[in-house]
Amino acid sequence: RGLAALPSAALPAGFEPTAAVLLGTWALLLGEGLLLAEVNVALMRRRGDGSDTSTVTLAEMAGATLGPGGAALTTLLYLLLTYTVMVAYDVKLTELFGGSDAAPTAFTLFVGWLLVVGGRSGAVRALRPAMLGLLLSFVVLCAAGSAAGDPANLARSDWAGAGEVMPIAFLAMVFHKLVPTICSALGGDLGRIRTALGVGSLVPLGMLLTWSGVCLSIVPGGTGAGVGLDPLEIISTTGGPVLHAAIPAFTLGAVATSYLGNALHLSDFGRAQLRALGGRNHRAGNDARRDEAGGVRPVAALSVLMAVAPPLYVTYQHPADFLRIVEWVGAYGMTVLFGLLPPLMYLSLRQQSQEEAASEQPAWRTRGESALLGSMALASFSVAALHAQHDEAAAEVVQIAQAAMASVFG
């Protein structure tokens, strides 16, 4: 999600501040993910005799720890962020194809057809070659870029520009929507879950560090000259034919895989809500099997339409800049949903557990945990606060978000 936007955000700061921000953000998000895992496994064990390892969703986690208001806020933020990010992908598709409005329309129709006809299994099958193409183009870019770059360009730095990197880093390394699925797949084994999250989170960190280093090594000049420029465009025009061909393929692969993944999540969410409204929960399993078998059911078609149509509509009605949108999502939405809420969930769960056990932890341990959790929440809040100091796009993106919600619920 943030690979395509990171070079533009990192160019004013330089490599050293960018690397520091990436490492700090990785540590913070890993801690937040581990908190979510603790909450998820605890709630999983509360079910019956503790043998039920079915997935506990983020909304269910928020409802059990923060009450109905927490569940509603989590659901609202999830929908708002996912729709807004998909708008950003549609905007990027328009840019990739020379401002053609037909590009996002054609891609949306293809994704909608794939999800309706192929269902979840069809989407997964499509994601595999897309991910392979993305990884291959990434390797080609890094290899060719390293040969074309000058390590001396990595020496420049401007720590004043680090604040612009934070929201992109937050967006690029968020994996927390996958935590419930991982906890369920590993049977609630906290040791294996911690290992999976720790090792898995190193992959995007390594890719982002490598990608920012390659891009910044190719762009000449000081950091001040980089403000307002797109490093990918500079690399494409000055880096030779291999880089010129690989960059569009890489950007398209990044957008396509991220868009398809978000559309799949939204269609699953919409399908569950439609079935619940229709009182069809007892038939959900049979419906899902029939959908996977290739049958096109009205609920599946409507849920897919609800997932892909609003972003396309908002893209045409309120066109905006790709980088501004993803900065806003990372700086404000992600920091609340995956930065502030996990510590609050954990604190609430700990208090509930102490009340149920009629016992208290040692005061030093309680104070230490509270201080650590408070620091994590404060760090997440600081990402939003630092970005808000020089945010000229907030009003524009708020209008986009309002239009998106109106198109969904209006």
Side-chain angles (χ1 to χ4, degrees):
R1 287 168 295 191
L3 280 171
L6 180 62
S8 295
L11 186 57
F15 181 72
E16 184 177 337
T18 297
V21 169
L22 289 173
L23 288 168
T25 304
W26 167 79
L28 173 63
L29 289 176
L30 178 58
E32 302 276 2
L34 293 175
L35 287 181
L36 283 178
E38 294 275 353
V39 174
N40 192 278
V41 171
L43 295 178
M44 190 186 299
R45 291 171 178 171
R46 282 185 182 180
R47 292 179 170 178
D49 59 359
S51 61
D52 186 357
T53 58
S54 58
T55 303
V56 180
T57 66
L58 289 173
E60 290 173 337
M61 292 166 61
T65 55
L66 304 177
L73 176 62
T74 300
T75 301
L76 181 63
L77 282 174
Y78 167 76
L79 291 174
L80 178 61
L81 294 177
T82 306
Y83 275 122
T84 306
V85 168
M86 290 177 70
V87 171
Y89 296 145
D90 279 334
V91 170
K92 192 63 177 180
L93 284 171
T94 303
E95 295 175 2
L96 281 173
F97 289 91
S100 171
D101 291 340
T105 302
F107 185 73
T108 298
L109 290 174
F110 170 73
V111 171
W113 170 82
L114 180 65
L115 291 174
V116 171
V117 176
R120 170 173 283 274
S121 62
V124 172
R125 286 195 298 270
L127 275 171
R128 289 171 183 166
M131 286 297 299
L132 180 60
L134 174 63
L135 291 175
L136 287 176
S137 62
F138 179 78
V139 171
V140 170
L141 278 174
C142 290
S146 298
D150 181 0
N153 290 327
L154 300 179
R156 63 176 186 263
S157 64
D158 182 3
W159 286 92
E164 291 300 305
V165 183
M166 290 182 182
I168 305 300
F170 217 97
L171 176 64
M173 287 190 281
V174 160
F175 58 87
H176 301 64
K177 286 194 290 187
L178 299 175
V179 170
T181 303
I182 294 173
C183 291
S184 176
L186 296 180
D189 186 335
L190 275 174
R192 296 170 62 198
I193 292 168
R194 290 169 184 149
T195 301
L197 295 180
V199 174
S201 65
L202 289 173
V203 175
L205 173 64
M207 291 181 67
L208 290 168
L209 286 171
T210 303
W211 179 232
S212 59
V214 168
C215 290
L216 294 178
S217 71
I218 296 177
V219 179
T223 56
V227 178
L229 301 178
D230 185 355
L232 296 184
E233 292 185 4
I234 298 175
I235 296 170
S236 179
T237 55
T238 63
V242 175
L243 289 174
H244 181 75
I247 285 178
F250 169 74
T251 306
L252 181 59
V255 170
T257 53
S258 298
Y259 184 99
L260 183 55
N262 280 282
L264 180 59
H265 279 293
L266 277 178
S267 63
D268 285 346
F269 176 85
R271 186 179 305 190
Q273 298 305 309
L274 289 171
R275 284 173 175 150
L277 290 173
R280 298 169 54 193
N281 288 328
H282 63 288
R283 297 165 56 186
N286 291 333
D287 284 350
R289 283 189 289 270
R290 281 194 288 268
D291 290 341
E292 296 298 329
V296 178
R297 302 186 62 82
V299 169
L302 182 56
S303 65
V304 170
L305 181 65
M306 292 168 57
V308 301
L312 184 63
Y313 171 79
V314 174
T315 300
Y316 289 142
Q317 295 299 316
H318 301 273
D321 180 74
F322 169 75
L323 182 60
R324 285 185 173 185
I325 297 175
V326 295
E327 280 182 350
W328 183 87
V329 171
Y332 304 121
M334 292 294 184
T335 53
V336 174
L337 185 57
F338 299 123
L340 298 178
L341 290 182
L344 294 178
M345 290 183 191
Y346 183 84
L347 284 172
S348 176
L349 182 67
R350 186 184 67 181
Q351 183 178 2
Q352 293 176 14
S353 300
Q354 290 176 355
E355 292 174 353
E356 291 173 0
S359 62
E360 295 185 1
Q361 296 182 6
W364 64 268
R365 181 175 178 182
T366 301
R367 288 196 297 268
E369 284 188 355
S370 299
L372 177 61
L373 296 172
S375 299
M376 294 171 68
L378 180 61
S380 300
F381 176 78
S382 299
V383 174
L386 287 172
H387 189 72
Q389 291 179 356
H390 42 76
D391 185 2
E392 299 177 355
E396 177 183 355
V397 180
V398 167
Q399 292 178 354
I400 294 173
Q402 290 174 341
M405 298 304 292
S407 64
V408 176
F409 300 108

